[in-house]
């Protein structure tokens, strides 16, 4: 869909209040399109006052500004990522990916209430966000149409990049904060920060270029370790250091204690975008990293070998689904049901030691479904496990071992 297809239409645009959304809003308004701006409060640590976003978008021509408080929803999505262990390609906690799904889920009801059928976003044609916005929208409301300025020839002709947008905003007196001097871009919510583009696109640039927004780099963390206790009830973190916390408050508190000790700060990753390109990012997700490590220690106690293998495979699958924009689809929902089934066993208290970016196991207590038993695992006492029973066990295993050798399938 291009500008000429809009014909003075009314659309709801996902707006962050940043350079792109301010430029797009003013440019569309200038061309006779009625823009209703939608901004979600996701606990962004880089926005001190969300009302500033409202003022910027209205100043840029938005007919209406919707500021939605989605802090409970983003925190709940973070706990779902936690239970799933949904780290993309081994490290990235999908903090931006899941946020796009949360935002679209908030936008759709607002569109339905206003009779708006056209959704717009400022994602580029090179990245993953365009896929996330549009797949999520079409799954939740198949009748919606999408306008993406960065795929519109008219917009691309007017704006080649940040320089042209900054010059446009300055020429029209628009209240944007962006400058050409900023060496990278940042996307933020309470789950984490993603830093990319600009100077970070060069692999000769160290992650140390980034100024952390949720803590400190491990090298600058305190020289003394901090012991932290996390209580889980059926897969949900419910207390931190014996203080009961829920939802957004839990995530914020976990961020504070973990970030202060360099946990989850400054992760470098070169990952595979869905569109086929490689991208480099530097990530922060201190709370998820702390809670995720604690949850991992808890799962070690309650999952048997087969459940553990299934959970590991499903974790990788769900991480990819979130990254690629398929959080709401059938396969993901089925996999999440499996994860939730196992989470019913995940009750217990885990204590860990935080030291310069590391999370080390300290102790576990009150884990009612633990499969670990000291008497059975002991290498000294017999307990319930009779060492002599292994004779028959090894005899059975040895049959196939000998057959492999006799069939000349073993390289010597």
């Amino acid at each position: 869909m291009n500008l000429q297809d809009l014909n003075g239409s009314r659309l709801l645009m996902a707006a962050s209040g940043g350079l792109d959304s301010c430029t797009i809003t003013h440019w569309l308004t200038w061309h006779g399109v009625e823009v209703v701006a939608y901004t979600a409060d996701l606990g962004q640590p880089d926005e001190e006052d969300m009302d500033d976003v409202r003022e910027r978008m209205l100043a840029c021509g938005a007919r209406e500004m919707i500021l939605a408080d989605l802090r409970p929803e983003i925190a709940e999505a973070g706990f779902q990522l936690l239970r799933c262990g949904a780290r993309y390609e081994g490290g990235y906690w999908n903090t931006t990916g899941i946020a796009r799904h949360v935002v679209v889920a908030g936008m759709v009801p607002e569109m339905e209430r206003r009779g708006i059928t056209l959704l717009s976003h400022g994602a580029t044609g090179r990245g993953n966000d365009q896929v996330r916005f549009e797949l999520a929208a079409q799954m939740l409301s198949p009748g919606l149409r999408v306008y993406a300025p960065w795929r519109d020839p008219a917009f691309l002709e007017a704006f080649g990049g940040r320089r042209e947008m900054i010059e446009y905003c300055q020429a029209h007196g628009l209240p944007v904060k962006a400058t050409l001097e900023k060496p990278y871009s940042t996307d933020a919510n309470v789950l984490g920060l993603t830093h990319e583009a600009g100077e970070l696109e060069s692999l000769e640039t160290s992650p140390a270029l980034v100024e952390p927004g949720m803590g400190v780099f491990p090298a600058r963390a305190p020289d003394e370790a901090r012991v932290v206790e996390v209580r889980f009830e059926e897969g949900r973190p419910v207390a931190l250091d014996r203080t009961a916390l829920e939802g957004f408050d839990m995530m914020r508190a976990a961020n504070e204690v973990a970030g202060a000790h360099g946990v989850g700060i400054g992760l470098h990753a070169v990952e595979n975008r869905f569109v086929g390109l490689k991208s480099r990012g530097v990530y922060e997700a201190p709370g998820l990293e702390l809670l995720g490590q604690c949850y991992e220690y808890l799962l070690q106690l309650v999952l048997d070998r087969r459940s553990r293998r299934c959970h590991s495979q499903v974790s990788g699958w769900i991480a990819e689904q979130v990254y690629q924009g398929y959080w709401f689809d059938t396969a993901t929902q089925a996999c999440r049901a499996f994860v939730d089934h196992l989470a019913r066993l995940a009750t217990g208290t885990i204590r860990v030691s935080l030291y310069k970016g590391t999370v080390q196991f300290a102790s576990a207590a009150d884990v009612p479904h633990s499969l670990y038993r000291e008497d059975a695992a002991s290498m000294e006492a017999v307990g319930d496990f009779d060492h002599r029973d292994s004779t028959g066990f090894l005899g059975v295993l040895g049959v196939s071992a000998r057959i492999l050798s006799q069939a000349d399938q073993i390289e010597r």
Side-chain angles (χ1 to χ4, degrees):
M1 174 176 286
N2 298 329
L3 181 63
Q4 61 266 27
D5 302 320
L6 299 181
N7 294 322
S9 300
R10 186 181 185 216
L11 57 77
L12 187 72
M13 190 181 77
S16 67
L19 176 63
D20 285 44
S21 55
C22 287
T23 304
I24 293 168
T25 297
H26 190 273
W27 184 78
L28 287 174
T29 302
W30 189 267
H31 286 86
V33 179
E34 182 178 330
V35 177
V36 177
Y38 180 96
T39 297
D41 183 351
L42 303 174
Q44 298 92 320
D46 59 345
E47 285 287 354
E48 295 182 2
D49 187 350
M50 292 300 294
D51 281 331
D52 289 346
V53 179
R54 181 194 303 277
E55 294 176 5
R56 290 200 297 273
M57 297 311 302
L58 291 175
C60 291
R63 179 65 61 86
E64 180 186 358
M65 176 66 200
I66 302 170
L67 182 56
D69 184 1
L70 298 185
R71 289 176 297 176
E73 287 80 359
I74 191 67
E76 178 58 34
F79 297 145
Q80 291 173 348
L81 292 180
L82 169 69
R83 288 193 295 273
C84 296
R87 294 181 176 93
Y88 182 66
E89 294 194 343
Y92 169 43
W93 270 107
N94 268 307
T95 58
T96 296
I98 196 64
R100 302 309 185 225
H101 293 86
V102 170
V103 169
V104 172
M107 293 178 72
V108 168
E110 296 291 347
M111 297 179 71
E112 293 173 345
R113 278 191 283 271
R114 290 165 174 76
I116 299 175
T117 60
L118 187 57
L119 182 148
S120 182
H121 61 79
T124 72
R126 296 181 180 179
N128 303 302
D129 279 341
Q130 59 179 340
V131 182
R132 297 161 181 161
F133 275 116
E134 298 187 29
L135 289 185
Q138 291 162 10
M139 287 182 191
L140 296 179
S141 185
L144 292 183
R145 297 175 300 154
V146 176
Y147 171 68
W150 282 110
R151 301 202 301 267
D152 182 346
F155 186 82
L156 293 173
E157 183 178 352
F159 304 101
R162 286 174 56 84
R163 179 177 297 277
E164 291 82 1
M165 288 192 294
I166 290 174
E167 291 174 352
Y168 177 90
C169 291
Q170 290 175 343
H172 290 86
L174 303 183
V176 298
K177 299 179 179 180
T179 65
L180 291 173
E181 288 72 31
K182 187 175 181 181
Y184 56 85
S185 64
T186 298
D187 193 281
N189 63 69
V190 72
L191 302 183
L193 306 185
T194 60
H195 310 286
E196 59 184 7
E199 294 182 23
L200 291 178
E201 291 178 347
S202 171
L203 294 180
E204 294 184 357
T205 300
S206 167
L209 172 72
V210 169
E211 181 178 347
M214 301 182 80
V216 298
F217 282 117
R220 296 187 177 183
D223 292 331
E224 294 184 2
R226 162 75 184 276
V227 175
V228 176
E229 179 179 293
V230 180
R231 176 66 182 177
F232 293 91
E233 296 285 351
E234 296 189 350
R236 293 184 64 85
V238 297
L240 184 67
D241 286 338
R242 303 189 180 184
T243 298
L245 295 168
E246 289 287 344
F248 184 80
D249 291 334
M250 168 61 76
M251 188 58 64
R252 184 169 53 186
N255 280 334
E256 290 177 0
V257 66
H261 289 269
V263 173
I265 302 292
L267 169 68
H268 153 83
V270 176
E271 64 205 27
N272 291 294
R273 288 181 180 172
F274 196 18
V275 295
L277 300 173
K278 285 278 192 181
S279 65
R280 190 270 184 102
V282 177
Y283 299 121
E284 303 179 48
L288 277 175
E289 188 64 21
L290 166 60
L291 298 175
Q293 291 278 11
C294 290
Y295 195 65
E296 168 68 17
Y297 289 132
L298 182 56
L299 290 184
Q300 289 178 9
L301 300 176
V302 301
L303 297 186
D304 63 58
R305 180 175 62 232
R306 293 172 297 282
S307 295
R308 184 58 191 247
R309 181 180 300 172
C310 289
H311 187 273
S312 296
Q313 293 173 344
V314 168
S315 292
W317 169 259
I318 293 178
E320 188 171 291
Q321 290 283 92
V322 177
Y323 191 85
Q324 296 181 355
Y326 291 103
W327 177 247
F328 294 122
D329 87 345
T330 306
T332 307
Q333 299 304 307
C335 289
R336 285 174 55 191
F338 167 77
V339 169
D340 289 343
H341 180 80
L342 295 183
R344 295 185 302 174
L345 304 173
T347 293
T349 299
I350 302 294
R351 298 176 78 241
V352 292
S353 176
L354 311 184
Y355 181 71
K356 291 189 177 297
T358 64
V359 182
Q360 298 294 330
F361 177 83
S363 66
D366 192 17
V367 186
H369 301 293
S370 176
L371 298 177
Y372 179 81
R373 289 176 49 188
E374 293 181 32
D375 57 344
S378 175
M379 294 296 182
E380 299 178 5
V382 174
D384 291 338
F385 191 98
D386 191 329
H387 295 263
R388 292 167 294 186
D389 291 341
S390 293
T391 300
F393 174 68
L394 288 170
V396 172
L397 295 180
V399 173
S400 62
R402 290 191 297 273
I403 290 175
L404 287 172
S405 180
Q406 292 164 358
D408 199 23
Q409 292 190 22
I410 305 298
E411 294 185 7
R412 296 180 175 83

